[in-house]
Amino acid sequence: MKRLISSLARVCARHRWLTIAAWVIAVGALFGSAYLVGPALQDDLEVTGSDSQAAADLLEAADPGAGEDPAPTSRIVLAGPDLSAQENVVQDVIDRLEAATGESVANPLTDPVAATRAGTLAEGGDALMLTVVGDPKEQGRV
């Protein structure tokens, strides 16, 4: 086995460009065949008559919107020396985020003690986190 592997290594070393081309063709063929043969990925499988499908139907009847994806949220971190002294800058960022998303954004500096406990304001006041419903970058407004 050792002799076989060493002879294969020698052949690959002597014909390095042919070896690289063979690997590129093999990987391309593998991905191409997987693309052509493989099924499309789905997550909405229904198996009529199964207990799982009966349970899913009951849940859908009880709360029709439960299976939908929640609104995406974005978290923006602001950092700087003593942000509580720069409340006007923080408020300006919040105003711009609200204008971009159309949603309200809570200002952690209005109640620093609760914000520190919730983890949205750093202990020293040098960093804070804003949670925005929606993604301003995806909406093309920021």
Side-chain angles (χ1 to χ4, degrees):
M1 183 64 136
K2 183 178 176 184
R3 201 177 324 173
L4 175 69
I5 291 175
S6 66
S7 64
L8 178 64
R10 273 193 297 276
V11 169
C12 289
R14 269 189 237 124
H15 306 286
R16 70 187 99 176
W17 293 112
L18 183 63
T19 303
I20 291 172
W23 274 108
V24 168
I25 291 170
V27 170
L30 179 69
F31 278 102
S33 63
Y35 176 75
L36 293 174
V37 175
L41 299 176
Q42 295 179 345
D43 64 352
D44 57 345
L45 181 68
E46 292 185 20
V47 181
T48 308
S50 69
D51 291 341
S52 296
Q53 187 61 47
D57 292 342
L58 286 173
L59 288 172
E60 180 65 27
D63 188 7
E68 296 175 9
D69 291 333
T73 58
S74 301
R75 293 204 168 96
I76 290 109
V77 176
L78 301 177
D82 195 19
L83 287 174
S84 58
Q86 302 177 28
E87 190 168 351
N88 57 342
V89 174
V90 173
Q91 189 59 48
D92 184 44
V93 170
I94 290 172
D95 291 341
R96 288 174 187 257
L97 287 171
E98 288 176 342
T101 61
E103 301 286 333
S104 65
V105 179
N107 187 345
L109 297 178
T110 56
D111 188 1
V113 175
T116 303
R117 256 187 268 127
T120 57
L121 181 63
E123 291 275 338
D126 59 346
L128 60 87
M129 181 173 56
L130 304 172
T131 302
V132 182
V133 175
D135 189 354
K137 287 183 261 176
E138 277 187 15
Q139 296 170 355
R141 298 187 208 160
V142 173

